[in-house]
Amino acid sequence: MAHFAKVAEYSAKHPKPEGIEFAYGTAGFRTVGDTLESTVFRVGLLAALRSQGKQGKTIGVMITASHNPEGDNGVKLVDPMGEMLQQSWEGYCTQVANAASSDELVAALAAVVEAESIDTSVTPRVVYARDTRPSGPLLQAALEDGLAALGTDAASYGVVTTPQLHYFVRCRNTAGTDAAYGEPTEAGYFAKYTGAFLRLVDGKPHPSPLHIDAANGVGAPEVLKLAAAAASPYLSIEVHNGDTVTPGKLNKDCGADHVKSNQRSPVGMALQPGSRYCSFDGDADRIVYYYADERGTFHLLDGDKISTLAATYLRDLVAAAGIDDLQVGVVQTAYANGNSTSYIKDTLRLPTVFAKTGVKHLHHEAEKMNIGVYFEANGHGTVLFSPGAVAKLRRATPQTPAQDDAIQRLWALRDLINESVGDAMSDMLLVEAILICKGWSLSQWDEAYTDLPSRLLKVVVHDRTIFKTTNAEQTLTSPLRLQEVVDALVAKFPRGRAFVRPSGTEDAVRVYAEAATRADCDQLAYLVAGAVFDKAGGRGDRPAEFL
Ligand code: G16
């Protein structure tokens, strides 16, 4: 095919490593950074085809491995509205990434063109960015070759957060339409979100400083720029773990994933009672909050707590605005703490559904709601206003000043939220705005419900692809009979719940357990992890008992 005339020449510079199978998973391709050059080159080709398939709309490419260790890297495609790549394309990505030769690669690309009836005469448009990982520059060069091979009109945003790139893509594709999202620049991003934030908190008392653990990642410089753009005592921040230069520091003993998984503060943050803390992950798409009480005990406010805070605030505003038939709903995954789900159903009386892990799955469920709040317990999430909800807001005619105020606040919240994807900076502003408006400390926010003790473990196995699940990933269908073993263990513990699923971003199997007491929870997690290790090909050290 003439369209692919230059592919072989460029591809020769980026040969596929032998013996490695790549798979487009939960958040794109993600593995050891040194092995990804051919894959990222090929993602450049796919991004161009995806853009042509969308009549020249701008597609995004983000080079990041987010919460993974610094040696890993990854790459994912961003669709025109700033959302994750349409799932039906994930198979194409996997096929193209695994083509063994230049000829096979061209054939795989031609098959995509054929299957999607792509008009290859359209000029492809792609924007891209990367996080701070050392392997990023080399992978970016490979991506640029892939884009050049198909004559792409391409632009780099340099080193930015993943959600910023999603935002830029959405802005570019909506410019000049009714759905115009903002200026597709860093300055535009900061102006939009800080402007909405300041509108919401105007006139309220100033909060105490917020200590941010930036995971030694790209969130550090970006959140400083955000605060500079706000230039307001409403956003007084202190950044910790902001070293993006020293090798080995990214996500090391810090960041949202570390804090959530280990349920303790990150390195470099000595918690003081009464002070306020949060952690981003390596590419700033997740956030969790935490504090220490008077006795120095650590308390985590994770994605479930953020979700319930946002849902409560939105529900109350909708009621105060006097808008009928505007329902707030919540999407969670199996990792949601059991008590958060009960709180949403029984106390807030809001509808809630479960989706599979991966924000793309939650996003699709939230799209079915009027106002859909979706968060993973790990702190990854956002809020979506459906077109119907936006139309109702537009039509709303306030009868009182209080109704008018509530409607203005709903508009400001919509502007404050990055609807394209979960965004640590935008979510931080959302939490800060709600806490400022309510006059709440972190411990007051925490009072809504008490988490059941929970534990998340990783088990390394020879082949995680043998693990298959159903029921929003809460039930194993393979390996055979392992689920029966898990069920029997769960039955031994009051309020016990546990599930096993293969990670889509790391070479490991994840085990989640919760139970009525910390001791029971830890015992259940240990027993389930041990069963996985013994019965499904554990590798390395057997999971140890908690002491
Ligand atoms: C990614 C996904 C999240 C998911 C997380 C862990 O996060 O975007 O939706 O929860 O991986 O997924 P898994 O358990 O399948 O490894 P991030 O922040 O690393 O991009």
Side-chain angles (χ1 to χ4, degrees):
M1 225 178 161
H3 187 53
F4 299 127
K6 290 191 184 154
V7 168
E9 175 195 329
Y10 278 103
S11 174
K13 284 168 66 184
H14 310 289
K16 177 183 176 294
E18 277 176 31
I20 302 182
E21 280 286 302
F22 298 99
Y24 198 97
T26 311
F29 293 105
R30 205 175 276 189
T31 183
V32 180
D34 294 348
T35 65
L36 271 171
E37 196 183 321
S38 65
T39 302
V40 178
F41 164 73
R42 294 165 187 212
V43 167
L45 302 169
L46 284 157
L49 289 188
R50 181 76 181 147
S51 171
Q52 290 175 320
K54 292 280 176 189
Q55 293 77 42
K57 288 229 160 54
T58 299
I59 294 296
V61 180
M62 186 71 201
I63 299 172
T64 179
S66 191
H67 75 275
N68 288 46
E70 187 173 292
D72 283 359
N73 214 326
V75 63
K76 67 174 180 179
L77 288 161
V78 177
D79 260 355
M81 286 302 276
E83 73 278 45
M84 300 289 192
L85 176 68
Q86 186 180 304
Q87 257 174 281
S88 60
W89 270 64
E90 293 180 3
Y92 300 148
C93 293
T94 299
Q95 271 155 16
V96 166
N98 290 312
S101 63
S102 291
D103 285 350
E104 270 190 31
L105 173 59
V106 169
L109 295 170
V112 177
V113 169
E114 166 92 23
E116 295 289 321
S117 309
I118 291 171
D119 177 356
T120 54
S121 68
V122 172
T123 302
R125 291 187 186 81
V126 175
V127 294
Y128 56 95
R130 62 181 170 86
D131 69 15
T132 55
R133 278 160 213 273
S135 54
L138 192 108
L139 296 180
Q140 180 177 321
L143 174 72
E144 285 163 349
D145 277 352
L147 296 170
L150 293 188
T152 309
D153 174 357
S156 167
Y157 277 101
V159 177
V160 296
T161 72
T162 298
Q164 284 177 313
L165 183 80
H166 285 254
Y167 163 90
F168 299 142
V169 170
R170 187 170 178 131
C171 290
R172 282 179 174 247
N173 289 312
T174 54
T177 73
D178 283 352
Y181 203 60
E183 281 295 313
T185 60
E186 273 190 76
Y189 173 96
F190 295 130
K192 174 170 176 165
Y193 294 119
T194 58
F197 170 71
L198 294 174
R199 256 154 62 208
L200 272 162
V201 298
D202 187 36
K204 306 283 181 193
H206 297 153
S208 63
L210 177 64
H211 295 266
I212 303 170
D213 155 32
N216 295 311
V218 58
E222 293 305 306
V223 79
L224 286 170
K225 291 184 209 167
L226 179 86
S232 162
Y234 284 111
L235 190 62
S236 156
I237 61 165
E238 201 165 307
V239 174
H240 305 253
N241 295 327
D243 180 354
T244 59
V245 179
T246 308
K249 291 196 112 179
L250 178 67
N251 292 329
K252 181 78 180 124
D253 299 328
C254 60
D257 197 63
H258 173 85
V259 171
K260 168 71 181 161
S261 303
N262 296 290
Q263 302 183 23
R264 62 163 181 263
S265 57
V267 69
M269 296 253 263
L271 305 196
Q272 302 298 325
S275 292
R276 306 180 325 111
Y277 302 89
C278 69
S279 284
F280 294 177
D281 68 343
D283 64 340
D285 59 4
R286 298 196 208 169
I287 182 169
V288 294
Y289 272 74
Y290 42 94
Y291 66 97
D293 64 21
E294 291 307 322
R295 285 172 304 183
T297 306
F298 173 85
H299 294 267
L300 179 68
L301 293 147
D302 62 4
D304 300 335
K305 289 275 182 180
I306 297 174
S307 160
T308 48
L309 179 76
T312 308
Y313 192 65
L314 283 159
R315 181 200 65 166
D316 293 349
L317 274 185
V318 168
I323 305 175
D324 294 333
D325 301 334
L326 197 53
Q327 176 77 61
V328 177
V330 180
V331 187
Q332 302 189 303
T333 71
Y335 289 114
N337 194 275
N339 279 356
S340 76
T341 312
S342 311
Y343 177 74
I344 296 165
K345 282 187 187 154
D346 305 336
T347 306
L348 297 181
R349 300 198 172 278
L350 295 178
T352 176
V353 295
F354 270 22
K356 285 165 67 175
T357 289
V359 274
K360 61 191 173 195
H361 301 298
L362 288 94
H363 193 96
H364 289 140
E365 287 301 325
E367 277 177 331
K368 297 176 193 163
M369 298 171 163
N370 289 163
I371 298 178
V373 179
Y374 75 83
F375 272 88
E376 296 183 296
N378 63 23
H380 203 171
T382 188
V383 180
L384 301 183
F385 286 70
S386 69
V390 173
K392 276 190 182 145
L393 264 182
R394 271 207 190 100
R395 283 200 303 270
T397 40
Q399 308 294 322
T400 64
Q403 286 189 347
D404 187 45
D405 181 67
I407 291 166
Q408 296 314 319
R409 283 180 180 282
L410 283 167
W411 279 123
L413 276 173
R414 186 175 179 241
D415 286 345
L416 178 60
I417 288 160
N418 186 344
E419 281 190 275
S420 59
V421 77
D423 180 338
M425 286 194 284
S426 150
D427 289 339
M428 175 189 81
L429 292 178
L430 172 68
V431 169
E432 290 296 297
I434 298 173
L435 295 180
I436 291 170
C437 290
K438 287 186 171 282
W440 276 1
S441 64
L442 297 191
S443 62
Q444 284 170 304
W445 166 21
D446 202 15
E447 278 166 17
Y449 64 89
T450 305
D451 277 323
L452 277 174
S454 70
R455 186 67 76 181
L456 180 58
L457 297 179
K458 271 189 246 183
V459 183
V460 181
V461 294
H462 283 289
D463 180 9
R464 78 187 199 275
T465 64
I466 62 170
F467 287 78
K468 309 269 185 238
T469 62
T470 182
N471 182 26
E473 298 185 309
Q474 297 170 99
T475 310
L476 281 171
T477 53
S478 160
L480 227 54
R481 283 189 283 284
L482 187 52
Q483 185 60 45
E484 289 162 28
V485 175
V486 174
D487 290 342
L489 292 171
V490 166
K492 292 182 181 169
F493 297 92
R495 300 217 55 195
R497 188 168 72 90
F499 63 88
V500 177
R501 58 174 284 278
S503 164
T505 60
E506 293 175 63
D507 190 11
V509 169
R510 301 203 194 279
V511 170
Y512 176 85
E514 64 182 36
T517 66
R518 167 56 55 203
D520 277 3
C521 166
D522 286 352
Q523 187 65 11
L524 177 59
Y526 162 72
L527 292 172
V528 174
V532 170
F533 189 90
D534 295 341
K535 296 182 186 306
R539 191 153 57 85
D541 294 335
R542 193 177 187 279
E545 196 159 4
F546 295 94
L547 296 173

